[in-house]
Amino acid sequence: MGTRRTVGVVAGALAVGTVAAAVTAFNLPDPDDSPRSTGGTPAATAEITKQTLVDRESHDGVLAHGDSTTISSRGSGTITALPAEGTTISRGKAIFRLDDKPVTLLYGSLPPYRTLKTGVKGADVKQFEQNLWALGYRGFTPDSTYSWATASVVKDWQDDLGIRETGMVEPGQIVYADGRVRVDSLSLQRGAVVGPGTEIEQVTGTSPLATVVLDASSGRLAKQGAAVRIELSEGKVVPGKIEKVATIVTKADDGQSNTTKFQATIGFDDDVKSQGMAAVSVAFTAGRRPNVLAVPVAALVALAEGGYGVQLVEAGGTRFVAVETGLFADGKVEITGSGLEAGMKVAMPS
Protein backbone atom coordinates (compact mmCIF):
# COMPACT_ATOMS: atom_id res chain seq x y z
CA MET A 1 0.00 0.00 0.00
CA GLY A 2 1.33 3.45 -0.89
CA THR A 3 1.23 6.29 1.62
CA ARG A 4 1.44 10.03 1.17
CA ARG A 5 0.96 13.04 3.40
CA THR A 6 -1.02 16.04 2.24
CA VAL A 7 1.42 18.21 4.25
CA GLY A 8 4.59 17.61 6.21
CA VAL A 9 4.37 17.46 10.00
CA VAL A 10 7.22 19.45 11.58
CA ALA A 11 8.48 18.57 15.04
CA GLY A 12 11.69 19.05 17.01
CA ALA A 13 14.93 18.70 15.07
CA LEU A 14 13.04 17.85 11.85
CA ALA A 15 11.42 21.30 11.61
CA VAL A 16 14.18 23.15 9.75
CA GLY A 17 14.63 20.42 7.17
CA THR A 18 10.91 19.98 6.52
CA VAL A 19 10.10 23.61 5.75
CA ALA A 20 13.50 24.76 4.50
CA ALA A 21 12.13 25.32 1.03
CA ALA A 22 9.43 27.61 2.39
CA VAL A 23 11.42 29.93 4.67
CA THR A 24 14.29 32.42 4.45
CA ALA A 25 16.91 32.91 7.19
CA PHE A 26 16.87 36.26 9.00
CA ASN A 27 19.11 37.44 11.84
CA LEU A 28 16.24 38.49 14.12
CA PRO A 29 16.52 39.89 17.64
CA ASP A 30 15.93 37.69 20.65
CA PRO A 31 12.16 37.47 21.37
CA ASP A 32 12.78 39.13 24.77
CA ASP A 33 14.21 42.25 23.09
CA SER A 34 12.08 45.05 21.67
CA PRO A 35 10.92 44.15 18.15
CA ARG A 36 12.77 45.80 15.31
CA SER A 37 10.76 47.66 12.68
CA THR A 38 11.69 47.88 9.03
CA GLY A 39 10.52 50.30 6.40
CA GLY A 40 8.66 49.51 3.21
CA THR A 41 5.67 47.34 2.42
CA PRO A 42 6.16 43.75 1.17
CA ALA A 43 4.90 43.01 -2.30
CA ALA A 44 2.86 40.05 -1.10
CA THR A 45 1.04 39.53 2.18
CA ALA A 46 -1.26 36.98 3.80
CA GLU A 47 -3.77 37.26 6.62
CA ILE A 48 -3.47 35.54 9.98
CA THR A 49 -6.66 33.49 10.24
CA LYS A 50 -8.40 31.73 13.11
CA GLN A 51 -9.59 28.34 11.96
CA THR A 52 -9.63 24.60 12.54
CA LEU A 53 -6.64 22.83 11.02
CA VAL A 54 -7.02 19.20 10.02
CA ASP A 55 -3.97 17.14 9.06
CA ARG A 56 -4.88 14.21 6.86
CA GLU A 57 -2.80 11.15 6.10
CA SER A 58 -3.70 9.42 2.83
CA HIS A 59 -3.43 5.69 2.08
CA ASP A 60 -4.20 3.68 -1.03
CA GLY A 61 -7.24 1.43 -0.91
CA VAL A 62 -9.61 -0.62 -3.03
CA LEU A 63 -13.24 0.05 -3.90
CA ALA A 64 -15.33 -3.12 -4.13
CA HIS A 65 -18.32 -4.62 -2.31
CA GLY A 66 -16.63 -5.91 0.81
CA ASP A 67 -15.81 -9.45 1.82
CA SER A 68 -17.61 -12.26 0.03
CA THR A 69 -19.73 -15.00 1.62
CA THR A 70 -20.07 -18.53 0.31
CA ILE A 71 -23.51 -19.88 -0.54
CA SER A 72 -23.58 -23.68 -0.39
CA SER A 73 -26.27 -26.23 -1.15
CA ARG A 74 -28.05 -27.86 1.78
CA GLY A 75 -29.62 -30.49 -0.45
CA SER A 76 -28.75 -32.90 -3.26
CA GLY A 77 -29.69 -32.63 -6.89
CA THR A 78 -28.94 -30.84 -10.15
CA ILE A 79 -28.41 -27.12 -10.45
CA THR A 80 -31.02 -26.03 -12.97
CA ALA A 81 -30.69 -22.23 -12.73
CA LEU A 82 -28.10 -19.75 -11.51
CA PRO A 83 -28.18 -15.94 -11.31
CA ALA A 84 -25.81 -13.90 -13.46
CA GLU A 85 -22.74 -12.42 -11.80
CA GLY A 86 -23.49 -8.90 -10.59
CA THR A 87 -27.19 -9.66 -10.03
CA THR A 88 -28.82 -8.27 -6.89
CA ILE A 89 -31.11 -10.70 -5.06
CA SER A 90 -33.60 -9.56 -2.43
CA ARG A 91 -35.79 -11.28 0.14
CA GLY A 92 -38.16 -13.88 -1.27
CA LYS A 93 -36.24 -14.37 -4.54
CA ALA A 94 -34.43 -17.51 -5.67
CA ILE A 95 -30.68 -17.47 -5.12
CA PHE A 96 -30.41 -20.60 -7.28
CA ARG A 97 -32.67 -23.50 -8.35
CA LEU A 98 -32.09 -27.13 -7.40
CA ASP A 99 -33.99 -29.78 -9.39
CA ASP A 100 -36.00 -26.86 -10.80
CA LYS A 101 -37.16 -25.81 -7.33
CA PRO A 102 -36.18 -22.39 -5.92
CA VAL A 103 -33.82 -22.01 -3.00
CA THR A 104 -35.16 -18.80 -1.52
CA LEU A 105 -33.21 -15.95 0.05
CA LEU A 106 -34.50 -14.70 3.40
CA TYR A 107 -33.01 -12.20 5.86
CA GLY A 108 -31.51 -13.21 9.19
CA SER A 109 -28.34 -14.21 11.01
CA LEU A 110 -29.32 -17.72 12.14
CA PRO A 111 -28.73 -20.36 9.44
CA PRO A 112 -31.40 -22.99 8.77
CA TYR A 113 -30.45 -26.17 10.64
CA ARG A 114 -33.68 -28.19 11.06
CA THR A 115 -37.07 -28.79 9.50
CA LEU A 116 -39.64 -26.26 10.60
CA LYS A 117 -43.06 -27.81 11.22
CA THR A 118 -46.04 -27.59 13.55
CA GLY A 119 -45.02 -27.70 17.20
CA VAL A 120 -41.41 -26.57 16.70
CA LYS A 121 -40.31 -23.64 18.84
CA GLY A 122 -37.24 -21.43 18.86
CA ALA A 123 -35.42 -18.37 17.53
CA ASP A 124 -35.20 -19.91 14.06
CA VAL A 125 -39.00 -20.12 13.94
CA LYS A 126 -39.38 -16.45 14.83
CA GLN A 127 -36.77 -15.44 12.23
CA PHE A 128 -38.59 -17.38 9.52
CA GLU A 129 -42.04 -16.08 10.52
CA GLN A 130 -40.77 -12.49 10.49
CA ASN A 131 -39.66 -13.05 6.89
CA LEU A 132 -43.08 -14.40 5.91
CA TRP A 133 -44.68 -11.32 7.47
CA ALA A 134 -42.26 -9.00 5.64
CA LEU A 135 -43.19 -10.72 2.37
CA GLY A 136 -46.84 -9.82 2.94
CA TYR A 137 -48.23 -13.08 4.29
CA ARG A 138 -50.76 -12.72 7.11
CA GLY A 139 -53.09 -14.91 9.18
CA PHE A 140 -50.58 -15.79 11.90
CA THR A 141 -48.60 -14.12 14.67
CA PRO A 142 -44.81 -13.86 14.15
CA ASP A 143 -43.46 -15.49 17.31
CA SER A 144 -41.26 -18.38 18.37
CA THR A 145 -43.91 -21.10 17.86
CA TYR A 146 -44.56 -22.82 14.53
CA SER A 147 -48.35 -23.22 14.84
CA TRP A 148 -51.02 -24.70 12.61
CA ALA A 149 -51.66 -21.10 11.46
CA THR A 150 -48.02 -20.81 10.43
CA ALA A 151 -48.24 -24.09 8.50
CA SER A 152 -51.34 -22.85 6.68
CA VAL A 153 -49.61 -19.64 5.60
CA VAL A 154 -46.52 -21.61 4.57
CA LYS A 155 -48.68 -23.63 2.20
CA ASP A 156 -49.81 -20.40 0.56
CA TRP A 157 -46.17 -19.28 0.26
CA GLN A 158 -45.16 -22.65 -1.23
CA ASP A 159 -48.01 -22.46 -3.71
CA ASP A 160 -46.77 -19.05 -4.85
CA LEU A 161 -43.26 -20.49 -5.26
CA GLY A 162 -44.60 -23.35 -7.36
CA ILE A 163 -43.40 -26.10 -5.03
CA ARG A 164 -45.19 -28.87 -3.16
CA GLU A 165 -47.46 -27.52 -0.42
CA THR A 166 -46.29 -29.44 2.63
CA GLY A 167 -46.64 -26.73 5.27
CA MET A 168 -43.11 -27.61 6.40
CA VAL A 169 -39.85 -25.87 5.55
CA GLU A 170 -36.75 -28.01 4.92
CA PRO A 171 -33.30 -26.45 5.57
CA GLY A 172 -32.38 -26.88 1.89
CA GLN A 173 -35.29 -24.68 0.76
CA ILE A 174 -33.99 -21.42 2.20
CA VAL A 175 -30.79 -19.40 2.62
CA TYR A 176 -30.32 -16.55 5.09
CA ALA A 177 -28.29 -13.37 4.62
CA ASP A 178 -28.13 -10.05 6.49
CA GLY A 179 -29.91 -8.28 3.64
CA ARG A 180 -29.90 -8.01 -0.13
CA VAL A 181 -26.90 -9.67 -1.76
CA ARG A 182 -24.93 -9.16 -4.93
CA VAL A 183 -23.70 -12.24 -6.79
CA ASP A 184 -19.95 -11.79 -6.95
CA SER A 185 -18.95 -15.05 -8.66
CA LEU A 186 -20.31 -18.48 -9.53
CA SER A 187 -18.51 -21.61 -8.34
CA LEU A 188 -20.04 -24.01 -10.87
CA GLN A 189 -22.24 -24.13 -13.94
CA ARG A 190 -25.85 -24.96 -14.56
CA GLY A 191 -26.28 -28.73 -14.83
CA ALA A 192 -23.77 -29.52 -12.08
CA VAL A 193 -24.77 -32.32 -9.71
CA VAL A 194 -24.32 -31.24 -6.11
CA GLY A 195 -24.69 -32.57 -2.59
CA PRO A 196 -24.95 -31.00 0.86
CA GLY A 197 -22.09 -28.59 1.42
CA THR A 198 -21.27 -28.01 -2.26
CA GLU A 199 -20.25 -24.40 -2.91
CA ILE A 200 -22.62 -22.74 -5.36
CA GLU A 201 -21.64 -19.06 -5.48
CA GLN A 202 -19.97 -16.16 -3.70
CA VAL A 203 -22.06 -13.16 -2.69
CA THR A 204 -21.34 -9.75 -1.19
CA GLY A 205 -23.37 -6.84 0.09
CA THR A 206 -24.90 -4.52 -2.48
CA SER A 207 -23.29 -1.25 -1.30
CA PRO A 208 -19.76 -0.40 -2.48
CA LEU A 209 -17.16 -0.36 0.29
CA ALA A 210 -13.57 0.83 0.41
CA THR A 211 -10.95 -1.27 2.19
CA VAL A 212 -7.53 -0.03 3.28
CA VAL A 213 -4.78 -2.11 4.87
CA LEU A 214 -2.63 -0.09 7.29
CA ASP A 215 0.76 -0.97 8.71
CA ALA A 216 1.09 -1.14 12.49
CA SER A 217 2.66 2.34 12.52
CA SER A 218 -0.54 3.80 11.02
CA GLY A 219 -2.97 1.60 12.96
CA ARG A 220 -3.93 4.56 15.18
CA LEU A 221 -5.85 5.99 12.20
CA ALA A 222 -8.21 3.01 12.00
CA LYS A 223 -10.90 3.93 14.51
CA GLN A 224 -14.40 2.54 14.05
CA GLY A 225 -16.86 5.36 13.39
CA ALA A 226 -14.15 7.85 12.37
CA ALA A 227 -14.90 10.11 9.40
CA VAL A 228 -12.65 9.91 6.32
CA ARG A 229 -12.53 11.35 2.80
CA ILE A 230 -12.28 9.05 -0.22
CA GLU A 231 -10.88 10.14 -3.56
CA LEU A 232 -12.38 7.96 -6.29
CA SER A 233 -10.56 6.96 -9.45
CA GLU A 234 -12.27 9.73 -11.46
CA GLY A 235 -11.01 12.34 -8.98
CA LYS A 236 -14.28 12.91 -7.12
CA VAL A 237 -13.91 13.21 -3.33
CA VAL A 238 -16.73 11.84 -1.14
CA PRO A 239 -17.17 11.52 2.63
CA GLY A 240 -17.20 8.18 4.37
CA LYS A 241 -17.02 6.47 7.75
CA ILE A 242 -14.99 3.53 9.06
CA GLU A 243 -17.53 0.76 9.66
CA LYS A 244 -15.23 -2.05 10.74
CA VAL A 245 -11.61 -2.57 11.72
CA ALA A 246 -10.00 -6.01 11.52
CA THR A 247 -6.57 -7.02 12.81
CA ILE A 248 -4.52 -9.12 10.40
CA VAL A 249 -1.62 -11.06 11.88
CA THR A 250 0.75 -12.74 9.44
CA LYS A 251 2.93 -15.44 10.93
CA ALA A 252 6.58 -15.03 10.06
CA ASP A 253 8.92 -17.77 8.92
CA ASP A 254 12.28 -18.69 10.42
CA GLY A 255 11.43 -17.47 13.90
CA GLN A 256 10.97 -13.82 12.90
CA SER A 257 8.36 -11.60 14.56
CA ASN A 258 4.81 -11.79 13.30
CA THR A 259 3.53 -8.87 11.20
CA THR A 260 0.42 -7.06 12.37
CA LYS A 261 -1.69 -4.92 10.04
CA PHE A 262 -5.13 -3.35 10.29
CA GLN A 263 -7.84 -3.53 7.63
CA ALA A 264 -10.34 -0.66 7.70
CA THR A 265 -13.66 -1.16 5.91
CA ILE A 266 -15.26 2.14 4.93
CA GLY A 267 -18.84 2.92 3.98
CA PHE A 268 -19.98 5.96 2.04
CA ASP A 269 -22.26 8.80 3.07
CA ASP A 270 -23.05 9.57 -0.58
CA ASP A 271 -24.43 7.26 -3.27
CA VAL A 272 -21.36 5.73 -4.90
CA LYS A 273 -21.58 3.48 -7.94
CA SER A 274 -19.16 0.63 -8.54
CA GLN A 275 -19.09 -1.79 -11.44
CA GLY A 276 -16.09 -3.67 -10.10
CA MET A 277 -12.86 -3.33 -8.20
CA ALA A 278 -11.15 0.07 -8.46
CA ALA A 279 -8.31 1.93 -6.75
CA VAL A 280 -9.09 4.77 -4.33
CA SER A 281 -7.19 7.05 -1.95
CA VAL A 282 -8.48 7.39 1.60
CA ALA A 283 -7.59 10.45 3.71
CA PHE A 284 -7.61 9.70 7.45
CA THR A 285 -7.54 12.46 10.05
CA ALA A 286 -4.07 12.33 11.64
CA GLY A 287 -4.43 15.53 13.67
CA ARG A 288 -7.01 18.23 14.39
CA ARG A 289 -6.58 21.62 16.05
CA PRO A 290 -9.74 23.76 16.44
CA ASN A 291 -9.77 27.56 16.67
CA VAL A 292 -6.05 28.26 16.21
CA LEU A 293 -4.17 31.09 14.53
CA ALA A 294 -2.72 29.99 11.20
CA VAL A 295 -0.65 31.40 8.34
CA PRO A 296 0.58 29.90 5.07
CA VAL A 297 3.68 27.77 5.62
CA ALA A 298 5.56 30.01 3.18
CA ALA A 299 5.08 32.97 5.57
CA LEU A 300 7.47 31.45 8.12
CA VAL A 301 10.99 32.80 8.29
CA ALA A 302 13.81 30.88 9.96
CA LEU A 303 15.62 32.63 12.79
CA ALA A 304 19.41 32.51 12.75
CA GLU A 305 19.42 31.68 16.45
CA GLY A 306 16.87 28.90 15.89
CA GLY A 307 13.13 28.68 15.63
CA TYR A 308 10.74 30.60 13.40
CA GLY A 309 9.07 33.95 13.07
CA VAL A 310 6.73 35.93 10.85
CA GLN A 311 7.17 39.40 9.39
CA LEU A 312 4.18 41.35 10.66
CA VAL A 313 2.97 44.10 8.30
CA GLU A 314 1.70 47.22 10.07
CA ALA A 315 0.99 50.83 9.19
CA GLY A 316 4.29 52.52 8.47
CA GLY A 317 6.42 49.39 8.22
CA THR A 318 6.96 45.83 9.35
CA ARG A 319 8.36 44.04 12.36
CA PHE A 320 9.41 40.48 13.06
CA VAL A 321 7.65 38.38 15.69
CA ALA A 322 9.01 35.05 16.91
CA VAL A 323 6.44 32.25 16.83
CA GLU A 324 5.95 28.72 18.04
CA THR A 325 4.65 26.37 15.37
CA GLY A 326 2.03 23.70 15.94
CA LEU A 327 0.10 21.54 13.47
CA PHE A 328 0.88 21.78 9.74
CA ALA A 329 -2.08 21.06 7.46
CA ASP A 330 -3.29 21.91 3.96
CA GLY A 331 -0.41 24.34 3.33
CA LYS A 332 -0.95 26.23 6.59
CA VAL A 333 0.69 26.12 10.00
CA GLU A 334 -0.59 26.80 13.50
CA ILE A 335 1.29 29.64 15.19
CA THR A 336 1.40 31.29 18.60
CA GLY A 337 3.29 34.50 19.34
CA SER A 338 3.21 37.66 21.41
CA GLY A 339 0.45 40.06 20.33
CA LEU A 340 -0.68 38.07 17.29
CA GLU A 341 -4.37 38.22 16.37
CA ALA A 342 -6.60 37.06 13.54
CA GLY A 343 -6.82 39.64 10.74
CA MET A 344 -3.23 40.85 11.02
CA LYS A 345 -1.12 40.78 7.86
CA VAL A 346 2.18 38.94 7.45
CA ALA A 347 4.70 39.21 4.63
CA MET A 348 5.05 36.41 2.10
CA PRO A 349 8.77 36.08 1.23
CA SER A 350 9.37 36.07 -2.50
Side-chain angles (χ1 to χ4, degrees):
M1 290 285 178
T3 303
R4 65 177 183 273
R5 298 299 297 268
T6 54
V7 295
V9 176
V10 180
L14 297 178
V16 174
T18 306
V19 296
V23 299
T24 306
F26 282 82
N27 185 16
L28 299 182
D30 188 273
D32 292 334
D33 296 337
S34 298
R36 182 181 63 193
S37 297
T38 63
T41 302
T45 63
E47 186 175 295
I48 299 178
T49 58
K50 191 170 187 178
Q51 63 184 94
T52 296
L53 289 182
V54 181
D55 179 25
R56 291 186 171 88
E57 184 174 311
S58 295
H59 291 261
D60 295 335
V62 175
L63 177 65
H65 285 84
D67 297 332
S68 62
T69 300
T70 299
I71 301 296
S72 299
S73 175
R74 298 296 301 273
S76 300
T78 300
I79 298 296
T80 51
L82 288 167
E85 292 182 356
T87 300
T88 296
I89 300 174
S90 57
R91 178 172 19 216
K93 304 301 182 181
I95 198 162
F96 63 92
R97 294 182 72 90
L98 186 65
D99 288 343
D100 205 26
K101 298 180 180 65
V103 176
T104 304
L105 177 70
L106 300 176
Y107 296 169
S109 58
L110 187 62
Y113 63 91
R114 60 177 175 172
T115 299
L116 301 182
K117 57 186 178 181
T118 303
V120 171
K121 298 181 179 181
D124 55 338
V125 174
K126 185 174 183 178
Q127 179 176 272
F128 173 73
E129 290 187 349
Q130 288 174 332
N131 274 275
L132 277 185
W133 191 270
L135 289 170
Y137 293 92
R138 300 294 186 265
F140 71 104
T141 301
D143 55 21
S144 299
T145 300
Y146 198 103
S147 65
W148 63 267
T150 305
S152 177
V153 172
V154 166
K155 288 181 180 180
D156 293 338
W157 174 62
Q158 291 172 329
D159 180 52
D160 291 339
L161 292 177
I163 61 177
R164 192 161 63 97
E165 302 165 34
T166 64
M168 300 185 297
V169 182
E170 301 291 341
Q173 291 180 270
I174 54 179
V175 169
Y176 284 108
D178 291 337
R180 295 191 307 160
V181 299
R182 172 184 174 274
V183 179
D184 189 57
S185 63
L186 300 175
S187 305
L188 39 72
Q189 296 179 335
R190 188 175 60 177
V193 178
V194 302
T198 302
E199 181 178 315
I200 307 298
E201 57 199 280
Q202 296 282 329
V203 300
T204 66
T206 57
S207 299
L209 297 169
T211 55
V212 180
V213 177
L214 301 170
D215 291 333
S217 61
S218 298
R220 72 191 188 284
L221 302 173
K223 296 179 181 179
Q224 188 168 337
V228 297
R229 298 196 308 186
I230 307 98
E231 182 179 349
L232 305 177
S233 56
E234 64 269 25
K236 180 181 178 182
V237 177
V238 296
K241 183 173 67 175
I242 299 178
E243 296 185 350
K244 182 174 65 174
V245 178
T247 302
I248 304 172
V249 179
T250 303
K251 292 186 177 180
D253 297 329
D254 302 327
Q256 300 296 318
S257 299
N258 294 340
T259 301
T260 301
K261 295 187 177 183
F262 300 91
Q263 178 174 292
T265 300
I266 299 160
F268 295 89
D269 297 340
D270 294 348
D271 185 24
V272 174
K273 304 296 183 182
S274 174
Q275 301 300 321
M277 190 174 295
V280 295
S281 178
V282 179
F284 298 83
T285 298
R288 183 183 182 89
R289 295 282 291 170
N291 299 320
V292 297
L293 296 179
V295 295
V297 174
L300 292 178
V301 292
L303 309 182
E305 62 271 29
Y308 292 94
V310 293
Q311 187 179 6
L312 197 62
V313 180
E314 299 175 314
T318 67
R319 62 187 175 95
F320 295 98
V321 177
V323 298
E324 294 289 335
T325 59
L327 183 68
F328 284 70
D330 294 331
K332 291 194 172 184
V333 57
E334 173 192 357
I335 60 169
T336 55
S338 178
L340 296 181
E341 295 180 0
M344 289 181 169
K345 299 289 186 180
V346 294
M348 294 291 291
S350 55

